[in-house]
Amino acid sequence: MSFDHTQPPSPQQGPTVPPPTAAPAPAPAAKPKKSIFRRWWFWAIAAVVLIAIVVPKGGSDEVADPAPAAGEQQAPAEEAPAEEAPAEEEPPAPATAPIGTPAQTGNLAITVTKVEPGVAQVGTEVGGTLLGEKAQGQFVLVHVSVENVGAEAESFSDMNAKVYDAEGREFEANSAAGIYIEGNDSLFGEINPGNTLQGVLVYDLPADATPERLEYQGMFDFLGEPAVFSLK
């Protein structure tokens, strides 16, 4: 038995076809551009412009007056006339009654009947001893007559009578010296309606002082005008 070692014929070979190649990867899509309204610098510029429009220069809400043209003078601002305060009227000074003429304060009609300046002492000397008072300067004795012209009892006291000298100094009555004058009721006395009190007011003034006037203010008449009397 024989074996045929002849190989079978190979199929007919055509032209060589290259294997298919993979398609190239698509190019990445372009990154979309941001809108101008999403840019930070756009809003920063817009804010600056808005502030410049709303807030005037200098931070003031008032619009500056336009500068006057060359050669034109700006009229001065008119000033409102100042209101003058009404002048306070001083109350008239009370009339001064001369010696011998009565002046009334409240329900008391007072008359200065006599003035004795330059008195060195008041009282009585007994055996070389003075029962009285000596003046530091000079005693001025003012004799008064006081009538109650009201309908009720009134009080009179030398404490309410002041003497003023030519320099305007004020002096109070010396009641301690007044008690040594006999029959003196002017220290303190009650006067019934229609009655009259006679007394002497004693004042210790400097030796060179000149008594000028006496003023009497009622004990309970604080708001009334005093009665004023001339002592010259």
Side-chain angles (χ1 to χ4, degrees):
M1 176 181 296
S2 62
F3 292 95
D4 188 358
H5 296 280
T6 305
Q7 295 181 354
S10 60
Q12 186 177 359
Q13 296 181 350
T16 303
V17 179
T21 58
K31 189 176 182 180
K33 294 183 178 181
K34 288 185 179 179
S35 171
I36 189 173
F37 296 106
R38 299 181 64 183
R39 302 285 184 176
W40 66 268
W41 51 265
F42 172 80
W43 292 110
I45 295 174
V48 173
V49 174
L50 181 62
I51 293 174
I53 295 175
V54 174
V55 181
K57 292 182 178 180
S60 174
D61 294 336
E62 298 180 359
V63 179
D65 294 334
E72 181 182 353
Q73 295 183 350
Q74 186 173 1
E78 295 183 0
E79 297 182 358
E83 295 184 1
E84 295 183 359
E88 295 183 0
E89 296 182 1
E90 296 183 358
T96 301
I99 296 175
T101 301
Q104 187 168 335
T105 172
N107 292 324
L108 297 179
I110 305 173
T111 304
V112 173
T113 59
K114 182 180 178 182
V115 179
E116 295 182 72
V119 178
Q121 64 185 33
V122 293
T124 305
E125 287 190 8
V126 178
T129 301
L130 175 64
L131 299 179
E133 289 279 340
K134 288 187 177 181
Q136 295 176 350
Q138 62 165 325
F139 282 134
V140 176
L141 309 184
V142 181
H143 297 253
V144 295
S145 174
V146 185
E147 180 184 1
N148 182 355
V149 296
E152 298 178 352
E154 296 287 343
S155 298
F156 179 86
S157 173
D158 64 351
M159 294 176 59
N160 300 322
K162 313 290 184 182
V163 162
Y164 296 84
D165 68 358
E167 298 180 18
R169 294 177 294 183
E170 178 185 289
F171 301 90
E172 295 185 355
N174 188 332
S175 300
I179 64 176
Y180 292 104
I181 297 178
E182 186 177 355
N184 187 13
D185 296 328
S186 63
L187 302 181
F188 182 85
E190 289 288 334
I191 311 172
N192 283 322
N195 287 345
T196 301
L197 175 149
Q198 305 291 337
V200 180
L201 306 175
V202 182
Y203 298 89
D204 195 345
L205 274 64
D208 58 349
T210 302
E212 185 171 79
R213 72 183 189 277
L214 179 143
E215 294 186 6
Y216 186 89
Q217 182 81 41
M219 185 177 299
F220 302 106
D221 189 19
F222 302 107
L223 301 179
E225 292 293 335
V228 183
F229 307 88
S230 174
L231 300 180
K232 298 185 292 183

